[in-house]
Amino acid sequence: MTTKLRRASGALLAALCLVSGLFAQESREVKQYSIEQFLKTVNYSGASFSPDREKILVSSDQTGVFNAYALYVDGRDPEPLTKSTVDSVFALGYFPNDERFLYSSDQGGNELDHIYLRNEDGTTVDLTPGENLKAQFYGWSQDDRSFFIGTNERDRRYFDVYQYDAQTFDREMIFQNDDGYSYGDITPDNQTLALSKTNSRDDSNTYLYDRESGEIRLITEHEGDANYRPASFSPDGKSLYLITDADSDFKYLIKHDLASGDRETIEQPNWDVAFAGFSKHGKYFLVGINEDAKTRFKVYDAATMQPIDMPDIESADIASFGISRDEKHVAIYASSDKMPRDLFYWQIGSEAPVKLTSSLNPEINPDDLVSSEVVRFKSFDGVQIPGILYRPHQASELNKVPALVWVHGGPGGQSRIGYRALIQYLVNHGYAVYAINNRGSSGYGKKFEQMDNRNHGKGDLKDCVTSKRMLIETGYVDPDRIGIIGGSYGGYMVLAALTFAPQEFQVGVDIFGISNWYRTVQSIPPWWEAQRAALEKEMGDFSDEEYFKSISPLFHAEQIQQPLMVLQGANDPRVLKVESDEIVEAVRANGVPVKYIVFDDEGHGFQKKANQLKGYSAILEFLDEYLK
């Protein structure tokens, strides 16, 4: 064969390989669903067994607003227990010996949660009455005669701990919090509290408070930065399980002997231990691990620390695992990208759990939804950045699609694998979505999480910009049609991208994002006071007006030239409405198209389906006009 023929045949082979590659990359048309159809999917949360174990108390938004329901384990129709049409109701749990229950609710999304009692006759009582207070439920005593609630009614900065009598509802303040402690757990005899105190995101301590002596004792003295957080007392009250990252990039679980101070490592994976605790009477010990953007559960026989066989739920991951008081029954939430959280009932030792809910709207074929893929790329400085990629079924190298970089909230949050209605809605309509876990995200070790300290809108923004290259290299994303979307801190990243990298993204969708950092850090809610030092170490000295203005899009808004959409809750206590008002006004002054939607009855996040319907459909319309 001559050299010319070799070259010709090589070129032909290369062309054939290219064409075969194009057609090997499967693509297909799918049925496209309306936002109304996506929102007919029902969301569930919480799971508390009734005393007779025949019902499980949950919260559900099937009416459009979250309310409490009883789900029967034998599959009978759910029983509605509250009928709110305005404020969401989140069930906390049944009483131990009857079907009264506790729930929390705020007012229009203002995050000033109160704790309520719902009696068996349907009447309700606010157990934490008062104006401008926030309450938190801490759990039941071991003897079931009382429960614990924290409120900031005395000092809006800090949460005092109260013990409530379960019959009379008389209460006693058992810990007056004057120095920014956070509640962790209480011993079975109700005498010793485990408290944590945050010095920074990278440094925290655990203390023991003795009710009888009033002494507060530090048990995690250390040098340098290390986090120690109480997870659970042992059933005998002699040990405290702690989650720590001392001398480790990842958080792990240790057992601290209260008498001797001796410690033993219990669980140390190459991922973060997220939580740990015992079942009611200590028969089982549960550990949750944040493993590459999803939770892995490990359940042990506490006496032997031998793992028990976990039930298998086909094509789904276990998202939560709640054991009944008698330690024989389990309420399991499982989910996947194509399956919203569904509740399963399992008797320990039985072959398979029973599915109690089918939350996905039956009008939607799961095969028309997409499964995500964890994808990493090298950023501008060589750092490996993880994220979750959703590829539309319609996408191929012959049919390139627009794409969105999705930025989570925080800072310090994490995008995780699982069903997201808005993401699936956008992907179903032909948009690739990359949910980036930029530097500063949690779940990938403390070194990675610290990379954005006092560097916001810089390295993390460059990660978002660099992710475009990975999207383009997939071969199915149109390089000229890439936008950015995010909420809260992710909304700030949207504004930062359009401001400080104005030619990189064709559109931005800002969902209650920060435009003026200086004002935001000056107006943080009072109940965040315990985390103030941590926020300052991460964000910068709150008095440094010049620095915060330098990273605030509002003061550089003349640079924004790409179409912008902004969504905001009027009652948001974290990102004030004025943040969105002013950036919208400034960008409109540039002659740039801006779509602005305000929800008068929402706060930091949109709970009501009517508002989701309006907001999500408007997002797609905006993207179709300016990106597709």
Side-chain angles (χ1 to χ4, degrees):
M1 183 182 291
T2 66
T3 301
K4 275 187 177 180
L5 285 174
R6 286 196 190 98
R7 286 175 181 167
S9 62
L12 178 61
L13 178 62
L16 288 172
C17 287
L18 177 62
V19 172
S20 67
L22 288 174
F23 285 100
Q25 190 176 40
E26 290 184 11
S27 66
R28 65 180 177 87
E29 291 301 314
V30 296
K31 180 179 179 180
Q32 290 188 327
Y33 301 98
S34 68
I35 189 58
E36 288 89 348
Q37 289 173 300
F38 273 98
L39 291 180
K40 284 181 183 177
T41 291
V42 180
N43 295 294
Y44 294 92
S45 66
S48 170
F49 280 95
S50 60
D52 60 8
R53 270 77 65 189
E54 293 183 1
K55 303 174 187 176
I56 301 176
L57 178 68
V58 302
S59 292
S60 166
D61 66 351
Q62 63 189 61
T63 64
V65 176
F66 275 98
N67 274 285
Y69 292 81
L71 300 185
Y72 288 86
V73 299
D74 64 6
R76 280 178 283 167
D77 289 341
E79 177 186 350
L81 301 174
T82 63
K83 298 179 180 179
S84 176
T85 59
V86 179
D87 297 318
S88 293
V89 168
F90 294 102
L92 298 169
Y94 279 117
F95 274 53
N97 300 308
D98 57 63
E99 293 188 9
R100 292 175 297 166
F101 64 86
L102 301 174
Y103 69 88
S104 68
S105 186
D106 70 1
Q107 301 81 47
N110 65 1
E111 299 187 12
L112 295 176
D113 303 280
H114 286 214
I115 307 299
Y116 297 85
L117 163 71
R118 195 270 193 184
N119 290 303
E120 290 182 281
D121 63 4
T123 59
T124 61
V125 179
D126 185 351
L127 299 179
T128 54
E131 299 293 329
N132 298 318
L133 70 84
K134 182 178 177 68
Q136 300 174 340
F137 181 67
Y138 293 145
W140 283 84
S141 64
Q142 183 62 33
D143 62 12
D144 290 332
R145 295 178 180 177
S146 59
F147 52 85
F148 303 96
I149 288 176
T151 84
N152 66 347
E153 63 194 75
R154 183 187 60 85
D155 183 336
R156 293 194 70 201
R157 299 174 300 166
Y158 305 129
F159 290 85
D160 300 325
V161 182
Y162 293 86
Q163 184 173 7
Y164 280 70
D165 185 285
Q167 296 304 319
T168 67
F169 305 110
D170 293 337
R171 67 176 190 168
E172 175 191 359
M173 183 193 292
I174 63 172
F175 177 67
Q176 181 170 308
N177 189 358
D178 291 319
D179 201 20
Y181 296 97
S182 298
Y183 178 89
D185 197 14
I186 193 165
T187 49
D189 63 5
N190 299 335
Q191 291 305 304
T192 303
L193 279 72
L195 305 169
S196 63
K197 189 174 182 181
T198 300
N199 303 314
S200 73
R201 184 169 69 175
D202 313 316
D203 187 40
S204 59
N205 273 307
T206 294
Y207 298 78
L208 297 179
Y209 171 69
D210 185 279
R211 289 178 61 181
E212 185 174 347
S213 67
E215 177 191 10
I216 299 177
R217 178 165 62 94
L218 173 66
I219 64 168
T220 55
E221 189 170 350
H222 62 274
E223 295 182 1
D225 284 345
N227 283 298
Y228 289 89
R229 177 168 60 84
S232 175
F233 282 108
S234 60
D236 61 10
K238 294 180 179 180
S239 302
L240 177 63
Y241 289 79
L242 298 164
I243 294 173
T244 182
D245 59 9
D247 302 316
S248 172
D249 196 31
F250 289 98
K251 298 180 177 72
Y252 59 100
L253 184 69
I254 61 174
K255 179 182 179 181
H256 176 96
D257 185 278
L258 299 186
S260 67
D262 292 342
R263 292 178 180 170
E264 174 189 357
T265 298
I266 302 299
E267 191 85 41
Q268 189 168 15
N270 289 320
W271 298 99
D272 281 339
V273 171
F275 56 85
F278 289 88
S279 57
K280 175 66 176 177
H281 301 292
K283 184 174 183 179
Y284 298 105
F285 187 62
L286 288 75
V287 179
I289 299 166
N290 182 356
E291 186 175 292
D292 211 9
K294 64 181 180 182
T295 301
R296 180 163 64 92
F297 275 84
K298 300 179 78 172
V299 183
Y300 297 95
D301 181 308
T304 63
M305 288 304 290
Q306 293 298 308
I308 70 166
D309 291 332
M310 297 285 282
D312 182 47
I313 299 176
E314 187 177 357
S315 303
D317 297 311
I318 294 177
S320 72
F321 194 92
I323 302 175
S324 63
R325 290 174 180 271
D326 68 355
E327 301 177 315
K328 297 178 181 178
H329 310 264
V330 181
I332 298 170
Y333 277 110
S335 68
S336 69
D337 290 316
K338 296 182 177 184
M339 185 182 96
R341 280 166 52 103
D342 272 322
L343 185 63
F344 293 76
Y345 165 67
W346 183 52
Q347 287 187 283
I348 294 177
S350 64
E351 289 188 8
V354 177
K355 189 177 183 182
L356 298 182
T357 66
S358 295
S359 53
L360 184 67
N361 179 3
E363 297 173 13
I364 296 177
N365 182 349
D367 291 339
D368 291 332
L369 305 182
V370 301
S371 295
S372 65
E373 177 186 4
V374 174
V375 174
R376 289 171 165 81
F377 67 93
K378 281 188 178 181
S379 194
F380 64 97
D381 56 358
V383 173
Q384 286 276 346
I385 303 297
I388 304 167
L389 182 61
Y390 301 80
R391 172 190 167 188
H393 289 298
Q394 307 95 312
S396 71
E397 293 187 29
L398 292 177
N399 182 36
K400 295 183 187 294
V401 297
L404 293 164
V405 177
W406 176 290
V407 191
H408 60 67
Q414 182 189 30
S415 283
R416 294 171 58 80
I417 292 171
Y419 180 83
R420 295 286 294 268
L422 178 54
I423 287 180
Q424 289 287 356
Y425 174 55
L426 295 173
V427 175
N428 179 246
H429 285 262
Y431 291 87
V433 174
Y434 183 59
I436 188 172
N437 281 314
N438 48 270
R439 67 191 63 205
S441 301
S442 59
Y444 305 98
K446 63 185 179 184
K447 292 177 183 176
F448 188 83
E449 191 170 0
Q450 293 168 3
M451 283 184 178
D452 69 342
N453 283 1
R454 305 198 178 199
N455 193 33
H456 300 288
K458 297 176 183 177
D460 47 6
L461 175 56
K462 288 182 180 179
D463 291 339
C464 295
V465 171
T466 309
S467 72
K468 291 174 50 188
R469 183 175 62 204
M470 177 276 296
L471 286 169
I472 294 167
E473 288 175 353
T474 64
Y476 60 77
V477 169
D478 186 336
D480 297 322
R481 294 187 292 162
I482 301 176
I484 184 167
I485 183 172
S488 191
Y489 180 77
Y492 160 70
M493 291 295 288
V494 169
L495 296 176
L498 298 191
T499 304
F500 303 119
Q503 301 306 315
E504 295 292 346
F505 296 97
Q506 277 58 58
V507 298
V509 178
D510 157 29
I511 305 171
F512 44 83
I514 297 154
S515 67
N516 179 347
W517 271 112
Y518 184 67
R519 175 173 51 217
T520 294
V521 298
Q522 300 303 316
S523 59
I524 61 172
W527 56 88
W528 284 18
E529 185 65 27
Q531 286 76 42
R532 186 182 182 91
L535 285 169
E536 284 203 274
K537 181 171 182 181
E538 181 180 354
M539 296 301 306
D541 185 339
F542 286 1
S543 65
D544 191 346
E545 183 175 358
E546 182 178 350
Y547 167 71
F548 281 112
K549 286 186 174 180
S550 74
I551 64 170
S552 295
L554 181 63
F555 300 101
H556 313 275
E558 71 281 355
Q559 298 174 195
I560 297 179
Q561 299 301 320
Q562 303 289 19
L564 172 67
M565 182 176 192
V566 179
L567 299 95
Q568 175 72 44
N571 302 322
D572 194 332
R574 306 188 206 181
V575 179
L576 304 179
K577 178 174 173 288
V578 66
E579 294 284 318
S580 294
D581 291 342
E582 291 187 355
I583 196 68
V584 166
E585 181 181 0
V587 176
R588 281 177 174 163
N590 298 341
V592 173
V594 180
K595 174 72 172 177
Y596 187 29
I597 298 177
V598 177
F599 299 107
D600 292 332
D601 55 351
E602 296 280 13
H604 199 72
F606 309 141
Q607 299 283 355
K608 300 175 177 66
K609 285 193 173 183
N611 294 333
Q612 293 171 4
L613 173 63
K614 179 179 179 181
Y616 295 175
S617 59
I619 288 172
L620 182 64
E621 290 170 6
F622 175 82
L623 293 172
D624 282 350
E625 181 175 358
Y626 293 106
L627 190 61
K628 184 176 278 188

